[in-house]
Amino acid sequence: MLQVSYIRDNREQVLERLAVKNFKQTDLVDEVIKLDDNRRQTQNRLDNVSAEANAAAKQVGELMRSGKKEEAEVIKAKSGSWKEEIKQLGDELSQIEAELQQKIVLLPNLPHSSVPKGITPEENEVILENGEKPNLPEGALPHWELAAKYNLIDFELGVKITGAGFPVYKGKGAKLQRALIAFFLDEAEKAGYDERMLPLLVNEASGFGTGQLPDKEGQMYYVGVDNLYLIPTAEVPITNLYRDVILKADELPVMNCGYTPCFRREAGSYGAHVRGLNRLHQFDKVEIVQVVNPETSYDVLEQMSLHVQSLLQKLGLPYRVLRLCGGDMGFTSALTYDMETYSAAQGRWLEVSSVSNFETFQSNRLKLRFRNAEGKTQLPHTLNGSALALPRIVATLLENNQTAEGIKIPEALVPYTKFEWIN
RNA sequence: GGAGAGGUGUCUGAGUGGUCGAAAGAGCACGCCUGGAAAGUGUGUAUACAUCACAAGUGUAUCGAGGGUUCGAAUCCCUCCCUCUCCGCCA
């Protein structure tokens, strides 16, 4: 959520930035400013009347104590009028505040100055490509066929017990999942992240705090009887750990990581591109999150990007890094890098990580603050990234490492799988 | 799920209608004391909004959340949420 004060002071710039994100409802900006004017005025009037009423009440108290009952009664008699006014202004104020809130949450975060203008994913900027695309042997298979051939994943069983998009991992397939999770967590810990193991269901306030609600309501599984949402990413519970918190300056940067399954409804996506592990309703992911001083956040973003890249390098996967264009960026992000690995048998790039700086967009919603050098509360910047999401890593790993003898496990992973080959 | 108790500032904890944004202690910060430290001692120590120079000052709101009674509520009433204890169920 953008800060109203920022919108007021930087109206032109806000409009300009929103254009980069290809945001159309620009009327909202002026509506927000107007509502805020209204809010201030109303609050001012309410404060003044309340002050009068408070003073009078105090006077009544004093008069009563000194036994001047009649004088007290005179003031009491007058009280009815402000009482009504206070009630009326209070109602008015909360209505204005609700309306303001309703509008301001519709405004997406402003993109960083380096974000390219653009609408479609094709307009994302490739800023780096690394690693060799493998030359696959004759008759190389896509991962879903490899998964069947080596009995690693059973998609049909998942359909039986739950539905499409909920695979069952078996044998070495299951061990590979476990190995990747442990590997990613260990690497995150080495990079300085402190692990958390988190609830998989969150309440509405948490969904709002990180920006999934109300924007992406339909993307989350919802448990109505208890009014809880299944997390679409560990970002939600981890970042919300710091909701309503004022951090001390020396507590920054906060660095947390966590493994969780992630649940996404992905309504209406079917077809060849979502075959196999390409898009699932439930998948595993290790997430890294930082809460940092605004001055350092863009350096931290680079550092997080490098961490993700180091994982891909250690796994020996060819990858590229994209700087997302305004139109393809998430609602809450100011700058996002996507990491994609090359899936050789499918002949396409698959997104395996997304690293973003949210600046103060989330901290403002979360009421997450820190005490700065002057001892004042200030909104920190929040960042997060997948490090990494498993399914597409598994997909490229299987496809790119297939040989006539079987699938070769990357060396870095062998200590975790305790086997070198899937055959 | 049933019965009971309770939710106050960083923490412990007082406060049952007015002088309470809230005693006291601890913690923390800064200072004095000390060769240094401990002890001792002094001062300070919530957040948000408004006014305003995002200063000082002032006003308003906030004692789990929301509503009500009252001239006036942390204190009384109602609803909800949460925590604890006992019972039930259970990995």
Side-chain angles (χ1 to χ4, degrees):
Chain A
M1 182 163 70
L2 298 174
Q3 292 172 84
V4 183
S5 57
Y6 183 85
I7 297 174
R8 296 184 69 95
D9 299 343
N10 304 278
R11 181 178 170 277
E12 296 305 316
Q13 210 185 337
V14 168
L15 289 169
E16 195 183 297
R17 297 277 90 210
L18 286 175
V20 173
K21 238 178 177 174
N22 200 38
F23 183 76
K24 303 292 189 203
Q25 290 172 266
T26 45
D27 290 351
L28 282 172
V29 173
D30 286 330
E31 286 171 33
V32 163
I33 293 174
K34 199 171 155 206
L35 279 167
D36 190 51
D37 282 337
N38 207 340
R39 191 200 104 239
R40 288 174 185 220
Q41 270 179 30
T42 308
Q43 169 142 78
N44 223 321
R45 285 198 286 155
L46 174 61
D47 285 358
N48 289 336
V49 182
S50 302
E52 250 180 80
N54 286 345
K58 203 170 200 176
Q59 219 181 329
V60 171
E62 277 159 17
L63 290 171
M64 296 289 268
R65 224 168 315 113
S66 53
K68 297 177 184 161
K69 219 163 175 200
E70 291 93 62
E71 288 179 50
E73 289 304 325
V74 172
I75 298 172
K76 271 200 205 182
K78 282 197 280 187
S79 75
S81 65
W82 332 299
K83 222 180 153 181
E84 220 167 284
E85 200 173 351
I86 287 173
K87 172 119 179 64
Q88 199 194 320
L89 285 170
D91 288 349
E92 209 175 303
L93 183 63
S94 38
Q95 201 191 322
I96 292 166
E97 280 173 343
E99 217 175 308
L100 178 61
Q101 174 78 357
Q102 212 179 328
K103 302 248 171 177
I104 201 166
V105 296
L106 297 175
L107 291 171
N109 200 0
L110 303 177
H112 184 253
S113 59
S114 69
V115 170
K117 215 174 154 135
I119 299 171
T120 65
E122 285 71 40
E123 292 167 273
N124 294 334
E125 195 182 315
V126 179
I127 55 175
L128 177 105
E129 203 170 317
N130 201 327
E132 294 287 307
K133 293 184 188 174
N135 288 313
L136 292 189
E138 199 64 19
L141 300 172
H143 70 267
W144 53 88
E145 290 186 25
L146 290 167
K149 179 176 173 185
Y150 295 108
N151 199 25
L152 302 173
I153 307 171
D154 193 324
F155 292 96
E156 272 68 46
L157 267 181
V159 171
K160 182 173 86 172
I161 61 170
T162 305
F166 293 90
V168 173
Y169 301 88
K170 304 196 289 191
K172 284 187 172 176
K175 287 201 173 81
L176 182 57
Q177 293 289 117
R178 194 145 54 83
L180 282 165
I181 292 162
F183 171 66
F184 292 148
L185 283 172
D186 282 359
E187 291 294 313
E189 194 172 350
K190 277 186 219 160
Y193 294 90
D194 194 13
E195 186 177 346
R196 298 286 181 274
M197 195 168 261
L198 303 144
L200 271 25
L201 288 145
V202 294
N203 58 29
E204 204 177 329
S206 295
F208 176 80
T210 30
Q212 280 72 24
L213 294 174
D215 187 46
K216 291 196 217 153
E217 168 110 55
Q219 268 280 22
M220 289 191 284
Y221 287 97
Y222 174 60
V223 183
V225 275
D226 293 303
N227 195 219
L228 296 171
Y229 295 85
L230 270 81
I231 57 169
T233 159
E235 165 194 350
V236 180
I238 296 179
T239 313
N240 273 283
L241 257 17
Y242 304 96
R243 173 153 47 84
D244 284 317
V245 166
I246 300 176
L247 294 163
K248 294 183 191 125
D250 64 7
E251 289 178 292
L252 296 180
V254 169
M255 297 175 78
N256 284 154
C257 64
Y259 152 71
T260 67
C262 301
F263 304 90
R264 299 191 183 175
R265 296 187 61 230
E266 306 287 1
S269 45
Y270 298 96
H273 274 199
V274 301
R275 198 148 174 208
L277 295 172
N278 288 342
R279 182 170 294 163
L280 300 171
H281 289 307
Q282 179 182 329
F283 63 95
D284 297 293
K285 181 161 66 64
V286 171
E287 185 80 1
I288 51 176
V289 173
Q290 293 209 37
V291 179
V292 306
N293 190 304
E295 283 167 28
T296 65
S297 71
Y298 281 93
D299 292 335
V300 169
L301 182 67
E302 295 306 315
Q303 170 209 316
M304 289 171 80
S305 161
L306 288 174
H307 173 71
V308 172
Q309 291 180 50
S310 78
L311 299 174
L312 294 166
Q313 285 162 18
K314 284 176 187 170
L315 292 175
L317 297 173
Y319 68 88
R320 64 179 191 180
V321 180
L322 307 179
R323 184 187 280 125
L324 296 194
C325 72
D328 199 32
M329 282 172 71
F331 183 80
T332 51
S333 174
L335 179 58
T336 298
Y337 293 129
D338 270 11
M339 283 68 177
E340 301 183 330
T341 57
Y342 189 74
S343 169
Q346 296 182 72
R348 37 191 293 249
W349 293 96
L350 300 179
E351 180 192 334
V352 292
S353 176
S354 194
V355 184
S356 301
N357 187 352
F358 304 99
E359 298 195 355
T360 59
F361 196 82
Q362 290 184 330
S363 54
N364 190 33
R365 289 180 160 227
L366 291 159
K367 293 193 173 59
L368 162 57
R369 289 151 292 173
F370 75 103
R371 213 168 285 286
N372 63 21
E374 290 87 56
K376 300 207 160 176
T377 58
Q378 189 185 339
L379 297 174
H381 285 186
T382 61
L383 304 95
N384 69 47
S386 358
L388 286 162
L390 295 229
R392 295 176 191 157
I393 291 290
V394 171
T396 46
L397 214 59
L398 297 181
E399 292 180 12
N400 294 15
N401 293 6
Q402 59 184 306
T403 70
E405 289 79 47
I407 295 159
K408 179 101 174 76
I409 299 294
E411 224 171 277
L413 215 50
V414 173
Y416 293 92
T417 55
K418 314 232 174 58
F419 54 80
E420 289 174 46
W421 289 89
I422 294 172
N423 48 24

